[in-house]
Amino acid sequence: MEGETVVREGKAAILFPSANEVFYNPVQEFNRDLTCAVVTEFAREQMARRGVKVVVPGEKERVVVNLADEKKEETEMQTGEEGGEEPVVTASVGERCKNGLRVLEGLAASGLRSVRFALEVPGLRSVTANDFSSKAAALIARNAQHNGVTHLLQASQRDASMLMYEMRGKKDRYDVIDLDPYGSPAPFLDAAVQAVGEGGLLCVTCTDMAVMAGNSGETCYSKYGSVSIKAKYCHEMALRIILHSLDQRAGVYQRYIHPLLCVSVDFYIRVFVRVHTGQAMVKNSASKQALVYNCVGCGSFHLQRLGKRTTQGNHIKYSAATGPPVGAECEHCGHRHQLGGPIWGEALHDVSFVQKVLSAVSGNPSRFGTARRIEGMLSMVTEELEDVPLYYTVDNLSSTVHCSTPPLLQFRSALLHAGHRVSLSHACKNALKTDAPPRVLWDVMRCWVRHNAPWEPFQYGMKLKVQVPIRACFDVREDANPQSRRRHLTRFQENPEPFWGPKARANAGGGISSDLEDRRKQGQNKRKNQITDATQLKSFPCKRFRKVWESVSLRSCLVDHLLSFIIFHRTHNPSLCLTHVFPPPFSAPLPPG
């Protein structure tokens, strides 16, 4: 029809109103591809238990990918339960399976994700695409008819929470529920943990990263029951906050969660968890949650579990945890601690499940447009330390002690030589997950400073307390470089396109409001007219420098720092001119006294 645009993604061809661009965000293709891959593998496991074999186009013999080995070991696909017979009933994509899975997309908008489920995921009985907007529901129905999946996909115009509350009965629950709202999913979580079936899959997206990353801790607590803090590990902490919220809400109904895959991608986070029922297992919930003590000076952090679980033979005893794990001041720099959380303290991923998804994607790369990035992301996930929450960043450690940043491989090697485990993290490019205590990290940094900057006696920016350091060995080890890095997989992609972030919220009547358009344009091209002439730069000391210089007590300390800096650079480069190190007026003679 006139005024409509056809967008093709995967096997789907979706009709979009040209005036309403908020219905489609091409950057989220990775999200939808990954969801189709995870739901397909989940359907494969569930249907095998029901005696049905799923058939995916283009998929050959299964290949189990294990990044710990250089080679890939080919094994035959395990299609039934252990000791069971091979299923004879098959389920193909686009066909309605009588004993298949029931899927709900609570906030479907155009229905693109639901249409892709119907066209690309085998073993489905029905797909319900729901949206509160009447125009969105009508568009979903049209797209279902346009793609020929009306036998699988039904459009629904309901409040998502009310729809899920009505389906809480054990016979009415959905096998898969997908929630991808604009902003926070908090209003839908209580209904979702009740409406998903036993062992069902719950897929949740959060795009309110400003709240979950520490910009507004009180708002985060009101939505998720956890206080977020500003730290370098904020993206992984956001994953653990939403898992804590899901587990807490599920526990009210004697249910608990089992994370399959949790990733931080671009401007959002995405979690895939299974929900089970069991009063005995719910008792473990307190011991799975932890508070975070974060030092505001050096960035060292410690975790404090909320509960304690001890096993004595066949008897399990639950008690209150003891703490805190830190003193009133940080033992390394003397600063205070921030208290964040509680957060999920257990593993973020089920590595065996992730390896199955990785095997399917790498064995059939033509199935998804973002297959290369999925392979790189999941490869990093399989390499992460499962039992080590949160991470450090090498640049932040270097910034704390005011020294040059050590190469990542050398720093990883130093920790491995010291007998500790270490891995990267998919959530941050220069992250460092390790079971080494903060004391060891700072000792390694002291060794790095003394080894690479012996002429800088005033190097420590945070005045870290002097301790006897270990003799760190920075010789690069072969196992310091993970397989995903050796194979040059696409782990962290560049910005895909201009203005690629989250789209504006849709109006009730469609389109983007004029005030949002004006706000979007604010600050654009603010760096186009940059200063290139040095004469336009300010040539006078800043106010803070003047204030320090006027203080006689601080003047001698500042002079010592400047002299140490000059001696170091003159030693390494005798021909260096002082004006190259300090531009005017700092290169002028020092005032008397």
Side-chain angles (χ1 to χ4, degrees):
M1 291 182 60
E2 185 178 355
E4 290 184 338
T5 304
V6 178
V7 176
R8 300 186 181 276
E9 183 181 294
K11 292 185 178 181
I14 304 298
L15 302 174
F16 285 96
S18 299
N20 197 337
E21 61 183 76
V22 301
F23 269 99
Y24 179 70
N25 187 355
V27 179
Q28 288 276 28
E29 181 182 1
F30 175 82
N31 187 336
R32 291 182 282 267
D33 285 352
L34 181 62
T35 303
C36 288
V38 172
V39 175
T40 299
E41 197 57 42
F42 175 75
R44 192 193 310 275
E45 292 184 356
Q46 295 296 104
M47 299 308 295
R49 295 188 178 95
R50 304 177 188 181
V52 180
K53 176 183 177 181
V54 299
V55 179
V56 179
E59 190 173 77
K60 300 180 182 179
E61 191 175 357
R62 297 297 302 277
V63 177
V64 178
V65 178
N66 187 357
L67 294 178
D69 301 326
E70 291 281 348
K71 300 180 180 180
K72 296 180 179 180
E73 179 184 0
E74 296 186 359
T75 59
E76 294 183 357
M77 180 178 61
Q78 300 177 352
T79 53
E81 294 182 347
E82 296 182 1
E85 298 181 357
E86 183 179 356
V88 293
V89 181
T90 60
S92 303
V93 296
E95 297 180 358
R96 188 175 185 273
C97 182
K98 182 178 180 180
N99 297 323
L101 306 181
R102 298 174 61 243
V103 182
L104 168 67
E105 185 184 5
L107 307 127
S110 63
L112 169 58
R113 193 184 303 256
S114 295
V115 171
R116 291 195 58 183
F117 286 160
L119 293 175
E120 301 178 28
V121 179
L124 302 183
R125 190 197 333 177
S126 65
V127 179
T128 303
N130 176 77
D131 200 282
F132 189 70
S133 169
S134 57
K135 293 186 177 181
L139 184 60
I140 293 170
R142 291 196 56 215
N143 283 324
Q145 184 178 8
H146 182 72
N147 288 270
V149 292
T150 53
H151 62 290
L152 273 177
L153 194 154
Q154 297 86 35
S156 171
Q157 183 191 350
R158 298 286 304 280
D159 178 87
S161 296
M162 294 304 300
L163 175 61
M164 289 186 286
Y165 278 131
E166 292 177 1
M167 307 300 289
R168 291 177 297 175
K170 292 184 178 181
K171 296 183 179 180
D172 300 327
R173 293 173 178 171
Y174 294 98
D175 298 290
V176 180
I177 295 181
D178 190 299
L179 297 176
D180 190 355
Y182 181 92
S184 173
F188 311 101
L189 297 183
D190 183 77
V193 296
Q194 299 180 69
V196 66
E198 175 61 23
L201 180 64
L202 182 58
C203 318
V204 182
T205 300
C206 304
T207 58
D208 55 336
M209 291 303 295
V211 173
M212 304 189 74
N215 281 0
S216 184
E218 65 282 355
T219 303
C220 185
Y221 180 80
S222 65
K223 291 183 177 181
Y224 304 102
S226 178
V227 178
S228 60
I229 56 178
K230 284 188 178 180
K232 291 296 181 180
Y233 49 75
C234 60
H235 293 94
E236 182 178 331
M237 187 173 183
L239 288 171
R240 296 183 178 277
I241 286 176
I242 183 62
L243 290 179
H244 161 75
S245 182
L246 285 170
D247 188 68
Q248 188 179 41
R249 295 168 195 252
V252 176
Y253 309 102
Q254 302 301 312
R255 313 194 80 184
Y256 63 96
I257 66 170
H258 173 66
L260 296 180
L261 175 64
C262 305
V263 292
S264 172
V265 185
D266 297 332
F267 54 85
Y268 61 91
I269 58 175
R270 180 74 165 168
V271 298
F272 301 89
V273 302
R274 296 187 67 176
V275 181
H276 301 274
T277 305
Q279 183 178 5
M281 296 297 295
V282 172
K283 294 181 180 180
N284 298 328
S285 180
S287 60
K288 295 179 181 179
Q289 319 301 323
L291 296 172
V292 182
Y293 289 85
N294 181 75
C295 175
V296 299
C298 62
S300 302
F301 60 85
H302 301 266
L303 268 65
Q304 168 68 62
R305 297 280 178 161
L306 292 186
K308 185 178 180 180
R309 177 178 178 267
T310 55
T311 304
Q312 300 174 354
N314 296 329
H315 179 68
I316 300 177
K317 181 180 179 181
Y318 300 93
S319 58
T322 57
V326 297
E329 296 179 348
C330 176
E331 62 177 321
H332 307 291
C333 66
H335 282 73
R336 58 185 174 86
H337 289 93
Q338 286 180 323
L339 185 61
I343 62 174
W344 177 261
E346 298 295 307
L348 292 177
H349 323 285
D350 186 331
V351 177
S352 61
F353 180 84
V354 175
Q355 286 181 344
K356 293 178 183 178
V357 179
L358 176 58
S359 172
V361 174
S362 59
N364 189 10
S366 60
R367 185 185 178 195
F368 301 115
T370 61
R372 290 186 59 190
R373 190 184 181 193
I374 293 177
E375 184 179 0
M377 174 74 73
L378 298 185
S379 298
M380 290 201 69
V381 165
T382 60
E383 295 169 344
E384 290 183 6
L385 295 177
E386 302 178 49
D387 56 344
V388 178
L390 308 180
Y391 54 80
Y392 293 91
T393 58
V394 182
D395 58 339
N396 188 57
L397 295 175
S398 305
S399 175
T400 302
V401 297
H402 289 187
C403 73
S404 59
T405 303
L408 185 60
L409 291 184
Q410 286 187 259
F411 198 87
R412 284 169 55 92
S413 299
L415 294 176
L416 291 173
H417 282 301
H420 299 282
R421 295 179 299 146
V422 62
S423 74
L424 300 178
S425 173
H426 77 278
C428 183
K429 187 174 183 179
N430 55 349
L432 198 72
K433 294 177 73 73
T434 178
D435 59 354
R439 173 184 54 81
V440 175
L441 293 176
W442 294 122
D443 285 346
V444 172
M445 288 304 301
R446 291 188 186 95
C447 290
W448 172 259
V449 171
R450 295 180 182 181
H451 181 267
N452 293 273
W455 291 96
E456 298 189 55
F458 299 98
Q459 191 63 253
Y460 304 133
M462 295 303 299
K463 304 296 183 184
L464 296 177
K465 295 181 178 179
V466 178
Q467 298 179 10
V468 179
I470 62 175
R471 288 185 174 271
C473 177
F474 293 97
D475 296 338
V476 177
R477 291 177 41 152
E478 184 178 357
D479 55 348
N481 195 13
Q483 286 291 328
S484 62
R485 198 169 182 268
R486 293 183 190 179
R487 295 165 56 189
H488 303 286
L489 299 179
T490 305
R491 302 176 301 163
F492 304 96
Q493 71 167 13
E494 298 181 357
N495 295 346
E497 60 182 20
F499 316 114
W500 61 278
K503 300 294 184 180
R505 188 188 296 271
N507 283 340
I512 303 177
S513 60
S514 58
D515 59 331
L516 287 178
E517 282 285 359
D518 296 337
R519 289 168 56 188
R520 174 191 292 179
K521 294 178 181 178
Q522 289 181 0
Q524 299 298 329
N525 301 324
K526 60 183 179 182
R527 295 184 176 87
K528 286 293 182 65
N529 301 323
Q530 296 183 359
I531 298 177
T532 57
D533 187 3
T535 59
Q536 300 181 21
L537 299 173
K538 69 176 186 177
S539 59
F540 55 88
C542 64
K543 295 181 179 179
R544 183 175 298 178
F545 186 90
R546 288 177 178 174
K547 186 176 181 180
V548 171
W549 190 256
E550 292 172 358
S551 175
V552 178
S553 60
L554 294 177
R555 191 182 306 169
S556 59
C557 179
L558 181 61
V559 171
D560 288 341
H561 280 272
L562 295 177
L563 291 178
S564 300
F565 186 81
I566 295 171
I567 292 173
F568 171 76
H569 284 279
R570 284 287 178 88
T571 303
H572 289 75
N573 188 4
S575 61
L576 184 66
C577 180
L578 188 60
T579 56
H580 293 167
V581 181
F582 300 103
F586 302 108
S587 58
L590 296 176

